[in-house]
Amino acid sequence: REPMAEDETSDQDEAQPADELEVPLTPEERIKELEAALHEVEKEMLYKQAEVQNALAQVTKVRSEGTRYGGMGLARRIVGSVENLERAIDHIDDDDENPISSALRMVHKDLLASLKVEGVEPIEALGLPFDPAKMEAITTVPSTEEYGPGMVVSVLESGWVLRDRVLKVARVVVASE
């Protein structure tokens, strides 16, 4: 190897000036450094675990709601058919024992029972306080002794719920002040 001239400097000296030379850590300093790194890794791991738990909880919630309310569209369509069947039955005399009349009543009864098993039920409204979450006031009439202010006087169209969710609001007449 050729000796260097005085004005030439080695690449090593340019890379690390004398005041920035790396000083080896003491074992205690190295332990502290590793403990700090471990602490950061533990924090990150806990954060990731929480993210996974939140994601699992969300999936469970979505799956549960899908199972619980997945039939809302079908329930709405069946409710419409039940209401049409009720309109047909309204035109039949109560004492009519015609086989077709009896069959219509039986089908209506079976449909209501099947809907109830699935958690679909009509909204009770008549004589109860007006509930804007489940009812739509079509008009108002003066209150009476029987129906005080804010009470549902009559039901123009039935409302329906699937468990705790409204499928169709009840259209009602409400007593005013």
Side-chain angles (χ1 to χ4, degrees), residues 12-32:
Q12 287 179 346
D13 291 341
E14 286 179 19
Q16 292 183 347
D19 59 341
E20 292 183 20
L21 289 176
E22 191 173 313
V23 178
L25 297 175
T26 65
E28 292 80 19
E29 291 171 330
R30 182 67 179 143
I31 288 172
K32 284 182 182 178

Side-chain angles (χ1 to χ4, degrees), residues 95-114:
D95 56 348
D96 186 357
E97 292 303 318
N98 178 330
I100 292 176
S101 301
S102 297
L104 286 175
R105 286 189 192 99
M106 182 180 67
V107 168
H108 180 254
K109 181 180 173 184
D110 287 347
L111 278 172
L112 289 177
S114 295

Side-chain angles (χ1 to χ4, degrees), residues 35-55:
E35 285 176 342
L38 177 63
H39 179 69
E40 287 300 314
V41 169
E42 286 174 341
K43 275 181 20 183
E44 185 67 23
M45 185 182 70
L46 289 173
Y47 177 76
K48 294 295 182 187
Q49 282 178 333
E51 280 184 338
V52 168
Q53 288 174 345
N54 289 341

Side-chain angles (χ1 to χ4, degrees), residues 61-132:
K61 179 182 175 188
V62 167
R63 185 178 292 155
S64 173
E65 285 187 2
T67 301
R68 192 167 166 92
Y69 301 110
M72 282 186 78
L74 177 61
R76 279 191 183 103
R77 290 189 297 280
I78 291 174
V79 160
S81 297
V82 167
E83 289 174 341
N84 288 335
L85 188 56
E86 287 172 350
R87 287 183 196 95
I89 291 172
D90 286 345
H91 295 311
I92 299 171
D93 292 328
D94 289 338
D95 56 348
D96 186 357
E97 292 303 318
N98 178 330
I100 292 176
S101 301
S102 297
L104 286 175
R105 286 189 192 99
M106 182 180 67
V107 168
H108 180 254
K109 181 180 173 184
D110 287 347
L111 278 172
L112 289 177
S114 295
L115 287 171
K116 186 172 184 150
V117 166
E118 297 302 321
V120 178
E121 296 187 65
I123 294 172
E124 297 297 324
L126 186 62
L128 297 176
F130 176 72
D131 180 356

Side-chain angles (χ1 to χ4, degrees), residues 153-174:
V153 174
S154 69
V155 177
L156 303 176
E157 286 184 30
S158 297
W160 295 83
V161 292
L162 171 59
R163 293 180 183 82
D164 58 347
R165 290 201 180 162
V166 176
L167 286 174
K168 180 183 173 200
V169 295
R171 301 177 123 220
V172 298
V173 176
V174 179

